Amino acid sequence: MAKTIAEKIFDSHLVDTPSNDIQVIRLDAVLCHEITTPIAINDLVKRGKDHVFDPSKIKAVIDHVTPAKDSKTAMQGKILREWARRHDIKDFFDIGRNGICHALFPEKGFVRPGYTVIMGDSHTCTLGAFGAFAAGVGTTALEVGILKGVCAFQYPQTIKIDITGRLPAGVYAKDVILSIIGRIGVNGATNKVIEFTGPVVDTMPMDARMTMCNMAVEAGATSGICYPDRQTVEYLWPFVQNEYESKDSALKDYSRWISDTDATYADIVTHDVSDLEPQVTFDYKPENVKAVAEMAGTPVDQVYIGSCTNGRIDDLRVAAKALNGRAVAANVRGIVSPATPQIYRQALQEGIIQTFMDAGFCVTNPTCGACLGMSNGVLAKGEVCASTTNRNFYGRMGRGGMVHLMSPATAAATAVAGHICNSDLYQKGE
Amino acid sequence: MEKFNGNVLFLNRDDINTDEIIPAKYLTENDKDALKPHLLEDLKLSGFQAQDSLSDKHVIVSRANFGCGSSREHAPWALEVNGIHLVIAESFARIFRQNMFACGLMAIELPPTTLDHIFKQYATQNTTVKTDLSQNCFEFSTGGLSERVEFKLEDFDRQLVEAGGWIEYADKKYR
Ligand code: SF4
């Protein structure tokens, strides 16, 4: 029978079918961070079940608030740190080597096409960019994952979004995914997997695919998924070169994880991006999306460039290019947060950090920080932030603050202007 | 089950997200009880005053896509420590729904027409819900008014509720 990629992954990982459409699947990786895991650890200890199913399949990082900002966050780090030590979890990333989980874990080569991955974090769907089934779960599901290496899901239905046309210059993956969420809504893919396919996705580098898959959950999706291809192989090659004779043989192997052409979909959407303009959100839902031109002139107090959505090297490159040697407007606080130490180092080498600093940006260490309003740039009541993150929920970056989501190019241009505006990289009609 | 009975809090809005249910700044708590005073603190709903509106409520009735946003299980926990073990809505975000049943709590969907009716008839008054798990039905009552509303409970979700949650269930079943 013809299958989607998600169905293939489920069928190859099946452990149990407790009822009709529920499947318990075996996990290839269980990822942990210091916000949702310590509570799971405490609970396991309390139950007398302080075990892990396989320390080599568990990866952990302190990323949301790092360095710790107060004694509570310090305790969260301590619980995770001691647990990792106690169970001999080798892939544990602490300060100096830590970065935002969804940027760090792929960079370390912890995900492969066909993998099943869970984490106590809704943006785990980012890793679907590698042709994996990667889903955010709550703490209890995480606990069972840590203990047993399994997780229960509804057998996946898939929405295929075929992205066609040619992306105009100055329009990016972030604009594409915002336009998709604007089209299908925050509830548009609930309980479903979104496959991003088509010529536009084929030409997207891995960083851009991760940006797309990252926001799949903002449309309610369980996971975003892109087909593995040559780009995927290139990215993973340093980690898999001992497993395959050549890149071609890796590609051939990974091609198992592509949907059959006659697979059954819950829906197929064609999304032509040839005329797409840079996008920005208004109000408090990621589906409230407009063209930047329609919001132009909206003053901002802060510009935030970073997060698991847009804190990767390609994002920083584009933002630096959009700055084009200019300074942040006098009334704006600019903050840039490279997502991992490797990205930070790369940005240093390329002179990007210099560009940001010359422009008057504050460069923070890799961390989630302001993205969820916990540190490094929390908004005051009534303040407005132009942000490359993924959620504009009320209170997300600080109580009473307003967040406008946009691409790094738009954010950089906005920082210079002091109000929302298109970047010079985008020129209509060109 | 007793735990699924009680006074109803009506939240007449779609897309109530987990940041509204429990803001991120409380995610540093390692103890569920610490979440208690902060439930729905940032809810955007006119006329809603978190602590007053919540007093003595045990069931929430809401609209579409309840619990969207982050994966934080703090959202169901914040409900649980406030004595709210049942949320009825038109639909739920996947992770929130999964978390509710994983904790042995219930997230039950009703069709929009049924919910429209319930909001119209019951939302303005002191309404209680009684849950009959063996019959798959709720009894809504207020003043002299009362009616039975049937619901569907997936087999797996029932098993989780009966086991007391996903850990209890998985621990017995998987090695
Ligand atoms: S950067 Fe923001 S969205 Fe991404 S994992 Fe961190 S808090 Fe979550």
Side-chain angles (χ1 to χ4, degrees):
Chain A
M1 209 189 81
K3 291 178 189 169
T4 62
I5 174 170
E7 289 170 340
K8 290 182 188 188
I9 295 174
F10 267 60
D11 292 354
S12 62
H13 289 75
L14 180 66
V15 172
D16 185 22
T17 310
S19 82
N20 283 342
D21 64 334
I22 305 290
Q23 291 202 345
V24 174
I25 55 171
R26 177 175 54 77
L27 300 171
D28 295 310
V30 176
L31 311 178
C32 300
H33 65 53
E34 91 283 12
I35 297 293
T36 50
T37 313
I39 273 200
I41 295 169
N42 284 352
D43 190 61
L44 286 169
V45 170
K46 207 156 81 191
R47 290 170 187 265
K49 295 191 181 301
D50 183 22
H51 312 297
V52 302
F53 83 108
D54 181 348
S56 73
K57 291 189 174 146
I58 297 181
K59 322 284 176 187
V61 65
I62 296 177
D63 63 351
H64 275 58
V65 189
T66 178
K69 70 179 167 94
D70 53 21
S71 34
K72 280 182 177 165
T73 50
M75 182 52 76
Q76 290 183 306
K78 183 169 161 27
I79 295 170
L80 192 69
R81 192 176 293 125
E82 289 177 353
W83 171 76
R85 252 181 234 148
R86 182 156 87 233
H87 294 290
D88 208 19
I89 294 165
K90 299 242 158 49
D91 294 314
F92 168 63
F93 300 88
D94 208 335
I95 197 144
R97 291 167 294 124
N98 59 359
I100 301 173
C101 50
H102 312 305
L104 184 77
F105 291 143
E107 190 184 277
K108 296 289 174 190
F110 295 153
V111 59
R112 300 274 189 287
Y115 262 28
T116 52
V117 182
I118 64 161
M119 180 169 197
D121 192 285
S122 58
H123 294 102
T124 309
C125 51
T126 312
L127 307 187
F130 293 84
F133 174 81
V137 297
T139 294
T140 303
L142 180 71
E143 267 181 67
V144 172
I146 288 169
L147 199 57
K148 307 278 178 182
V150 300
C151 196
F153 287 101
Q154 236 174 44
Y155 192 65
Q157 289 195 324
T158 302
I159 298 177
K160 177 175 165 141
I161 303 187
D162 206 17
I163 304 170
T164 60
R166 245 189 95 213
L167 209 51
V171 183
Y172 302 93
K174 180 64 162 285
D175 303 304
V176 176
I177 188 65
L178 285 174
S179 71
I180 289 172
I181 297 164
R183 176 169 172 184
I184 70 174
V186 291
N187 204 2
T190 300
N191 268 323
K192 303 200 173 61
V193 167
I194 299 179
E195 263 181 26
F196 296 108
T197 64
V200 174
V201 182
D202 292 344
T203 57
M204 278 184 182
M206 293 311 295
D207 280 11
R209 292 181 195 180
M210 284 190 258
T211 301
M212 300 276 298
C213 289
N214 177 270
M215 290 194 72
V217 70
E218 306 312 331
T222 308
S223 184
I225 292 191
C226 299
Y227 297 162
D229 62 5
R230 207 159 273 283
Q231 309 248 27
T232 322
V233 173
E234 286 294 339
Y235 187 106
L236 292 175
W237 189 243
F239 311 103
V240 302
Q241 53 186 344
N242 294 330
E243 296 166 30
Y244 296 100
E245 247 167 51
S246 64
K247 289 179 182 171
D248 283 334
S249 57
L251 183 60
K252 193 160 166 251
D253 184 30
Y254 293 160
S255 307
R256 284 181 291 155
W257 308 110
I258 289 178
S259 297
D260 299 324
T261 43
D262 45 350
T264 309
Y265 288 96
D267 201 1
I268 299 178
V269 178
T270 304
H271 195 71
D272 190 321
V273 295
S274 300
D275 297 322
L276 185 68
E277 291 184 40
Q279 304 283 299
V280 58
T281 62
F282 61 97
D283 215 346
Y284 301 110
K285 281 195 236 172
E287 70 182 21
N288 301 134
V289 175
K290 279 184 188 169
V292 169
E294 287 177 64
M295 293 280 287
T298 309
V300 304
D301 302 292
Q302 178 170 299
V303 171
Y304 187 76
I305 300 177
S307 87
C308 58
T309 318
N310 281 128
R312 296 185 181 78
I313 191 67
D314 285 354
D315 302 316
L316 303 189
R317 282 178 185 141
V318 166
K321 203 168 153 202
L323 284 176
N324 194 20
R326 295 171 300 171
V328 170
N331 58 333
V332 171
R333 312 185 295 268
I335 301 172
V336 60
S337 194
T340 70
Q342 186 179 311
I343 293 164
Y344 199 145
R345 193 168 284 139
Q346 181 76 28
L348 267 173
Q349 281 165 8
E350 293 182 19
I352 291 170
I353 298 296
Q354 185 77 42
T355 305
F356 277 115
M357 292 191 75
D358 289 348
F361 266 84
C362 159
V363 184
T364 82
N365 65 302
T367 181
C368 296
C371 170
L372 79 167
M374 284 185 88
S375 62
N376 282 7
V378 180
L379 301 177
K381 194 173 170 201
E383 287 191 325
V384 177
C385 184
S387 178
T388 68
T389 54
N390 48 35
R391 286 201 171 129
N392 55 346
F393 295 165
Y394 182 68
R396 172 73 179 183
M397 291 181 82
R399 197 168 199 192
M402 167 59 91
V403 181
H404 295 290
L405 306 176
M406 58 184 73
S407 78
T410 310
T414 298
V416 172
H419 51 78
I420 293 177
C421 67
N422 269 314
S423 79
D424 299 337
L425 304 174
Y426 172 70
Q427 271 143 12
K428 219 175 161 180
E430 272 199 353
Chain B
M1 267 194 233
E2 287 278 306
K3 99 188 222 201
F4 303 117
N5 299 341
N7 297 336
V8 183
L9 171 67
F10 289 92
L11 301 178
N12 194 6
R13 212 200 81 196
D14 289 345
D15 305 314
I16 290 176
N17 66 61
T18 51
D19 276 85
E20 296 179 282
I21 298 171
I22 186 80
K25 59 179 180 244
Y26 303 116
L27 302 188
T28 56
E29 301 294 348
N30 286 315
D31 175 26
K32 293 182 190 180
D33 283 315
L35 305 174
K36 195 168 177 193
H38 306 297
L39 177 64
L40 293 167
E41 193 173 275
D42 278 353
L43 180 68
K44 271 271 219 215
L45 187 66
S46 69
F48 181 83
Q49 294 283 341
Q51 282 313 314
D52 301 346
S53 304
L54 279 166
S55 76
D56 205 32
K57 298 295 195 300
H58 301 289
V59 176
I60 285 178
V61 176
S62 189
R63 296 286 189 171
N65 201 27
F66 189 89
C68 59
S70 106
S71 65
R72 63 190 68 158
E73 203 161 304
H74 305 70
W77 295 334
L79 295 170
E80 188 182 13
V81 295
N82 277 283
I84 296 170
H85 298 144
L86 168 64
V87 181
I88 300 168
E90 185 184 324
S91 61
F92 293 94
R94 193 257 320 166
I95 304 176
F96 178 83
R97 187 180 176 287
Q98 195 174 0
N99 283 343
M100 287 289 282
F101 285 103
C103 294
L105 310 173
M106 293 214 295
I108 301 288
E109 298 182 351
L110 291 179
T113 46
T114 312
L115 276 172
D116 281 346
H117 169 74
I118 289 170
F119 269 98
K120 212 165 122 220
Q121 288 291 329
Y122 295 92
T124 52
Q125 308 169 51
N126 289 326
T127 295
T128 59
V129 159
K130 250 180 145 173
T131 304
D132 185 342
L133 267 180
S134 63
Q135 302 284 327
N136 281 358
C137 90
F138 298 127
E139 188 177 277
F140 281 84
S141 25
T142 183
L145 209 61
S146 111
E147 71 189 275
R148 286 161 61 89
V149 176
E150 286 184 14
F151 63 85
K152 278 206 208 89
L153 184 60
E154 298 292 333
D155 188 37
F156 179 60
D157 295 332
R158 180 183 297 276
Q159 293 177 45
L160 291 180
V161 170
E162 283 169 1
W166 170 230
I167 296 188
E168 289 76 0
Y169 179 96
D171 204 30
K172 274 194 221 116
K173 215 161 156 195
Y174 309 111
R175 291 169 48 83

